[in-house]
Amino acid sequence: ALVAVRGNSSKSSINMRSFSKILSRPKFRRSSSQCARDPRMQASSVRDPRMQPSHVISEGEWRKQAEMEAENMRRLLGGGNISRGKYTKHPIYNFIFEYYMFKPKTLFRYSPGLGKALEGASSEDPHLSSRGFSFQDSEGETYAWADPSLVTGQRLGSIRWAQDLLKATSDRKPELFCHGLHEWAMLYHPEKSTFEPPHKYQSLPLRVTQKELNDVVDKADGIRCTHFDAYRFFSKDATPRNNVQLTRQTQLEFEQPGCLHANMDLFKWTVKLTPWIPSHFLYTTLKHAIACRVLDMRASPYDVEGMGEGFDLSPIQIETVEGQAEYQRTQAELWKQAQPIRAQLIKYYEEFLTYHEDSDIGPLTPGTRTASS
């Protein structure tokens, strides 16, 4: 049954019967013609009751919520206009915007999640994503909903893989002994190296000399990195010093919840499920990713103190016993904060995938493609 959720809208509640008829019509407007043409897309539509929204949110209510979420996001990112170019040299935001490779406007697109239709929304509405939504007109009134049938086989496979990764990570005990050495490993280049100097991924000054940086890595009892997407940026000299040789194919075996970057990636996995996930959760995961990035930079060999207004970027000197202890304490706090976030994200993934229980498309490891793609 379709239930009208009233807010400050002056419109009357939606007639359940007439709206059900609208949803069952064979001709309806979708936001992505590419998805509609893709033979790998699930053969489900608004004819399938599982894909239909069960509630309607009044226009006044959802627009108010969308504006509030957008304002919260702007404040989180320092206010003003938000663009990738704005943060090129920012020690915290540069990583978020450049490494995760998403469009900044994604942060400001509203979605109530699955099962809810938005009254008064159209395909041209700037508050909504241009993909993943279905739209319907009826007697001059418009509705939109995040439609789980609008997913390609390629994306569905990658969503299944991400869910597997989140669950595997959640089931493990945290490992809190890496001391943030991954940033040092990316720049490690001993004097007698036969390799070219490693590429410096950030245009930031160092707070230590190259010799001091090398000594920190040399004196460490190996590098204990469990996150492939950090490990793959290690210098060629540092790679064999890691306690395990990581690959994309073994990522599900080694990802663990104490890892700073695994917790930052909760934001990435939220973006992947957009717009079939409540948009307020983007704020939750981005806020945590920023907190993780602050520790990442404070423990790095980069000199970022005084950079990034509003952030304490004083160095945590992991080259000392005291610095290692401080890093470990802060890392443990961030792990604890991430636990309920990861658990909720897994629930959102499970909810989405219940709409595709009949699909024979399995998990798709990043970097691979389906046979028909």
Side-chain angles (χ1 to χ4, degrees), residues 99-100 102 155 157-167 169 227-229 248 251-252 255-256 260-278 281-282 285-286 289 341-342 344-346 348-349 352 364-367:
Y99 175 73
Y100 286 130
F102 67 97
R155 189 169 183 185
S158 67
I159 287 174
R160 288 196 189 281
W161 185 90
Q163 182 197 39
D164 288 349
L165 179 67
L166 288 166
K167 286 186 172 181
T169 305
H227 187 69
F228 173 71
D229 282 315
R248 180 67 73 195
Q251 188 170 358
L252 270 68
E255 196 91 317
Q256 50 88 18
L260 205 61
H261 278 265
N263 290 327
M264 290 175 68
D265 278 358
L266 294 174
F267 170 69
K268 176 172 72 174
W269 305 130
T270 300
V271 171
K272 177 173 282 294
L273 203 58
T274 299
W276 304 296
I277 189 170
F281 204 67
L282 275 171
T285 52
L286 178 57
I341 299 175
R342 180 176 284 104
Q344 182 59 62
L345 184 55
I346 290 172
Y348 285 135
Y349 268 76
F352 174 82
L364 187 65
T365 304

Side-chain angles (χ1 to χ4, degrees), residues 82-250:
I82 308 301
S83 65
R84 183 176 287 112
K86 177 180 179 180
Y87 301 113
T88 301
K89 296 183 179 181
H90 196 287
I92 305 302
Y93 297 134
N94 65 346
F95 180 85
I96 300 295
F97 281 90
E98 293 180 15
Y99 175 73
Y100 286 130
M101 295 298 292
F102 67 97
K103 295 180 180 180
K105 65 182 181 181
T106 302
L107 301 177
F108 301 94
R109 295 296 184 262
Y110 175 73
S111 174
L114 294 170
K116 301 177 181 66
L118 303 178
E119 181 186 46
S122 69
S123 58
E124 289 77 31
D125 201 307
H127 287 95
L128 306 181
S129 170
S130 61
R131 294 185 178 183
F133 270 86
S134 281
F135 302 89
Q136 192 67 55
D137 299 335
S138 175
E139 300 176 353
E141 294 187 344
T142 57
Y143 307 92
W145 63 95
D147 188 344
S149 74
L150 294 179
V151 61
T152 64
Q154 185 79 22
R155 189 169 183 185
L156 179 59
S158 67
I159 287 174
R160 288 196 189 281
W161 185 90
Q163 182 197 39
D164 288 349
L165 179 67
L166 288 166
K167 286 186 172 181
T169 305
S170 181
D171 290 341
R172 295 193 177 101
K173 293 182 179 180
E175 297 180 22
L176 304 171
F177 302 100
C178 70
H179 302 136
L181 205 59
H182 55 277
E183 290 287 347
W184 300 68
M186 295 177 191
L187 300 175
Y188 178 66
H189 190 245
E191 186 176 349
K192 296 182 180 180
S193 173
T194 59
F195 298 111
E196 291 292 322
H199 174 69
K200 192 165 180 255
Y201 293 98
Q202 303 192 68
S203 57
L204 297 169
L206 295 175
R207 64 175 178 83
V208 294
T209 65
Q210 183 66 53
K211 183 180 183 306
E212 290 170 332
L213 186 154
N214 293 339
D215 287 345
V216 170
V217 177
D218 287 334
K219 293 176 182 177
D221 183 20
I223 304 172
R224 301 178 183 182
C225 182
T226 58
H227 187 69
F228 173 71
D229 282 315
Y231 170 83
R232 67 189 178 95
F233 290 107
F234 282 16
S235 72
K236 291 183 178 180
D237 290 294
T239 297
R241 300 182 71 90
N242 202 47
N243 64 339
V244 63
Q245 303 304 292
L246 303 172
T247 67
R248 180 67 73 195
Q249 286 66 36
T250 61

Side-chain angles (χ1 to χ4, degrees), residues 263-309:
N263 290 327
M264 290 175 68
D265 278 358
L266 294 174
F267 170 69
K268 176 172 72 174
W269 305 130
T270 300
V271 171
K272 177 173 282 294
L273 203 58
T274 299
W276 304 296
I277 189 170
S279 49
H280 67 76
F281 204 67
L282 275 171
Y283 175 90
T284 300
T285 52
L286 178 57
K287 184 178 181 181
H288 190 69
I290 289 172
C292 290
R293 178 59 173 173
V294 169
L295 177 59
D296 201 27
M297 283 291 92
R298 292 185 66 195
S300 76
Y302 294 107
D303 183 9
V304 294
E305 187 170 15
M307 299 183 184
E309 184 178 354

Side-chain angles (χ1 to χ4, degrees), residues 7-20:
N8 298 323
S9 174
S10 60
K11 295 183 179 180
S12 60
S13 60
I14 307 302
N15 181 284
M16 288 189 288
R17 179 176 299 176
S18 65
F19 198 71
S20 296

